[in-house]
Amino acid sequence: MVAAAQTPPSSSIKVAALRGLPILGKLLDFRRDRLALHDACVRAGDLVRFPMLTRHVWCITTPELVQELLVEKEASFKKAPGLAVYGKALLGEGLLTAEGDRHRRERKLLAPAFSPRRIASYGAAMVSLTERAAAGWRPGAALDVAEEMMHLTLAIVGRTLFDADIAGDARVVGDALTQGMEFMVDRLSLPLPMTWPLPSNERMRQVVAQLDEVVFRIIAERRAAPGDRGDVLSMLLDARDDDGSSMTDQDMRDEIMTLMLAGHETTANALAWTWYLLTQHPEAYGKVFAEVDALGHAPTVADLPRLPWCLQVIQEAMRLYPPAYAVARQCEQPVQLGPITVQPGEVVMITIRGIHRRPDLWPDPLAFRPERFTEDAIKVRPRHAYMPFGAGPRICIGNHFALMEAQLILATVARRWRFRLIQHADIVPEPLITLRPKGGVHVEAIAR
Ligand code: HEM
């Protein structure tokens, strides 16, 4: 329900407000159907306020304000409580959750691992791990390709960034991550203190302990066999503070945990949605086959420019189903945002999925059309109309890694296999911290 829509004459930004229940505000909508709440904001205006318990939340639905929030005025904001409080329980002070100087230091420290040259060197491992995973499939067998992608991308992060084999930990990591995200989402709408003796807090501690076991094992294995292997772990071990001190195991743990979790789940979701969409669009799928067949060999990094359609398919899948479907910030000092002033403590979120589906930016927005991502089409699109990786100083550090990985996985799998969807019900998104296909994507693997 839209209570008020006012457009200050000085601005083309349409400010609006959604009404909520007394005391609860939009809490029940948030808990029951978050994506519908985002859609309601998009329908209401460009900058939409809705009440949430004792506060209200601002929702940005237009790219113009993304530039202000995430780029020009980002210093007036920090990460919102979802990550800043509850995410820290899992991730500690890694790159995703660190603020201010600490964030700048960590970003600088990790940047070399994500330089174009370094990323290119990960390509061979990405392809060989994909081939290893696909070697386990049997023609005609049923697969949950969402789960397969989750295991594969975890193995890739382990091998490329930590030179460790964590493929065997996929189930433990996957289950723990799901529970961790459910916990975070639950606490977002019901902010109970972490210190209370609640069963959910106890469960969260167990989740963290399970993941810690994997991460501390990676660190211990490397300490036992040191030496520069040119990976992230070597960089962390070599890093020295201004006073010459090295990183503690806890600091390393936070960085590794962050890269392990942020570095596989999102890419796996992007691929799961890609496979789903391809099974629904035979023509687009056929063009993928034609492109990979024309290569005539397993793809390498050097072949990527010859696989433009594969990239466009992935980009379009991430438009419709952005794995990080929203980002949020909390205001630290009064700051002008479009025509309004945001006050300290207020949360401002960007509905990335909502922006990706605006009909004025994306004609026929629900249609799957990889043609939207030709070089010419990209050039004329407004800035931030497409932002699956965020924007500004906190833009995803792994964006090029992820795109290259997804393109290589898609091409490597499509060379040998065609998937046919075998579930009848529509696949719906499950909005946790990321956007997963609920219940997985069940396919028959057909050998080509
Ligand atoms: C399709 C895949 C991916 C998507 C959609 C994605 C999305 C995002 C988004 C939207 C942010 C910004 C969050 C914010 O502003 O609050 C982010 C940050 C981040 N991502 Fe990704 N990501 C992906 C893959 C990766 C990969 C492969 C890695 C690492 C190997 C990674 C590591 C990170 C880290 C460490 C940050 C925090 C950066 C900072 O604050 O400086 N991500 N990601």
Side-chain angles (χ1 to χ4, degrees), residues 70 79 83 95-96 103 107 114 157 161 258-259 262-264 266-267 270 318 323-324 327-329 352 387-390 393-399 401-402 405:
L70 295 185
K79 293 264 169 138
L83 273 177
L95 188 60
L96 194 62
H103 172 260
R107 182 106 190 179
F114 295 94
V157 160
L161 299 186
T258 298
L259 291 175
H264 89 282
T266 39
T267 315
M318 286 202 293
V327 293
R329 299 289 189 265
I352 295 179
M387 50 167 302
F389 296 106
R394 305 212 62 153
I395 194 170
C396 177
I397 198 170
N399 61 354
F401 180 113
E405 178 185 14

Side-chain angles (χ1 to χ4, degrees), residues 127-128 131 288-307 310 407-416 448:
V127 172
S128 72
E131 284 174 335
V288 168
F289 295 135
E291 201 171 76
V292 299
D293 292 351
L295 267 190
H297 54 256
T300 64
V301 173
D303 295 320
L304 291 177
R306 293 173 62 200
L307 298 168
C310 289
Q407 206 180 351
L408 286 174
I409 292 176
L410 174 57
T412 305
V413 171
R415 254 188 100 217
R416 299 270 182 239
R448 295 190 61 227

Side-chain angles (χ1 to χ4, degrees), residues 101-221:
D101 283 347
R102 182 171 179 134
H103 172 260
R104 273 186 287 280
R105 257 199 334 269
E106 291 181 16
R107 182 106 190 179
K108 205 167 139 203
L109 174 67
L110 291 174
F114 295 94
S115 71
R117 212 162 47 96
R118 187 62 71 81
I119 291 176
S121 75
Y122 303 146
M126 290 171 176
V127 172
S128 72
L129 288 167
T130 306
E131 284 174 335
R132 186 175 87 177
W137 303 339
R138 294 288 155 255
L143 296 177
D144 176 357
V145 80
E147 196 180 359
E148 294 288 330
M149 293 299 112
M150 212 59 97
H151 291 187
L152 173 57
T153 54
L154 181 67
I156 288 175
V157 160
R159 174 72 63 79
T160 55
L161 299 186
F162 315 128
D163 196 16
D165 191 351
I166 49 174
D169 302 301
R171 199 161 299 277
V172 172
V173 172
D175 289 351
L177 180 57
T178 304
Q179 288 184 49
M181 291 207 297
E182 282 168 357
F183 175 87
M184 277 185 235
V185 169
D186 196 63
R187 285 305 156 87
L188 269 182
S189 55
L190 205 60
L192 302 171
M194 300 281 302
T195 46
W196 287 8
L198 302 168
S200 54
N201 282 344
E202 183 44 38
R203 243 193 341 271
M204 186 61 186
R205 271 188 283 280
Q206 286 167 10
V207 162
V208 174
Q210 280 175 333
L211 289 169
D212 272 351
E213 223 176 280
V214 177
V215 172
F216 282 119
R217 193 191 70 221
I218 295 175
I219 299 174
E221 280 172 6

Side-chain angles (χ1 to χ4, degrees), residues 357-374:
R357 290 171 174 230
R358 270 181 79 118
D360 56 344
L361 297 169
W362 305 95
D364 199 1
L366 301 188
F368 174 69
R369 286 194 196 138
E371 297 80 2
R372 299 183 205 264
F373 288 91
T374 57

Side-chain angles (χ1 to χ4, degrees), residues 11-289:
S11 161
S12 61
I13 300 292
K14 181 178 170 196
V15 181
L18 302 182
R19 278 211 193 97
L21 296 170
I23 301 170
L24 296 178
K26 284 290 189 192
L27 179 75
L28 298 182
D29 297 40
F30 183 86
R31 288 180 77 85
R32 271 196 303 248
D33 193 349
R34 252 182 308 292
L35 295 179
L37 180 58
H38 285 215
D39 290 343
C41 290
V42 175
R43 281 194 302 275
D46 301 316
L47 182 55
V48 181
R49 198 183 68 192
F50 60 84
M52 193 69 165
L53 293 170
T54 54
R55 302 191 157 169
H56 57 248
V57 172
W58 290 99
C59 177
I60 290 177
T61 70
T62 179
E64 282 158 87
L65 293 177
V66 170
Q67 177 72 11
E68 275 192 57
L69 181 74
L70 295 185
V71 185
E72 290 157 16
K73 298 177 181 170
E74 63 91 27
S76 300
F77 295 89
K78 61 177 184 179
K79 293 264 169 138
L83 273 177
V85 180
Y86 305 114
K88 271 193 186 165
L90 188 61
L91 304 172
E93 294 279 347
L95 188 60
L96 194 62
T97 40
E99 299 284 356
D101 283 347
R102 182 171 179 134
H103 172 260
R104 273 186 287 280
R105 257 199 334 269
E106 291 181 16
R107 182 106 190 179
K108 205 167 139 203
L109 174 67
L110 291 174
F114 295 94
S115 71
R117 212 162 47 96
R118 187 62 71 81
I119 291 176
S121 75
Y122 303 146
M126 290 171 176
V127 172
S128 72
L129 288 167
T130 306
E131 284 174 335
R132 186 175 87 177
W137 303 339
R138 294 288 155 255
L143 296 177
D144 176 357
V145 80
E147 196 180 359
E148 294 288 330
M149 293 299 112
M150 212 59 97
H151 291 187
L152 173 57
T153 54
L154 181 67
I156 288 175
V157 160
R159 174 72 63 79
T160 55
L161 299 186
F162 315 128
D163 196 16
D165 191 351
I166 49 174
D169 302 301
R171 199 161 299 277
V172 172
V173 172
D175 289 351
L177 180 57
T178 304
Q179 288 184 49
M181 291 207 297
E182 282 168 357
F183 175 87
M184 277 185 235
V185 169
D186 196 63
R187 285 305 156 87
L188 269 182
S189 55
L190 205 60
L192 302 171
M194 300 281 302
T195 46
W196 287 8
L198 302 168
S200 54
N201 282 344
E202 183 44 38
R203 243 193 341 271
M204 186 61 186
R205 271 188 283 280
Q206 286 167 10
V207 162
V208 174
Q210 280 175 333
L211 289 169
D212 272 351
E213 223 176 280
V214 177
V215 172
F216 282 119
R217 193 191 70 221
I218 295 175
I219 299 174
E221 280 172 6
R222 180 60 63 90
R223 285 214 192 276
D228 185 3
R229 302 195 204 165
D231 62 358
V232 166
L233 215 45
S234 304
M235 283 161 45
L236 296 177
L237 281 163
D238 275 357
R240 292 289 174 271
D241 240 337
D242 293 341
D243 65 2
S245 61
S246 52
M247 280 178 110
T248 62
D249 272 10
Q250 187 63 36
D251 287 339
M252 292 217 296
R253 173 258 178 228
D254 292 354
E255 231 50 270
I256 295 168
M257 185 75 83
T258 298
L259 291 175
M260 184 173 84
L261 298 186
H264 89 282
E265 215 264 343
T266 39
T267 315
N269 285 325
L271 282 159
W273 288 114
T274 299
W275 293 122
Y276 168 59
L277 287 161
L278 285 174
T279 62
Q280 302 306 290
H281 296 87
E283 205 181 314
Y285 211 173
K287 285 174 79 172
V288 168
F289 295 135

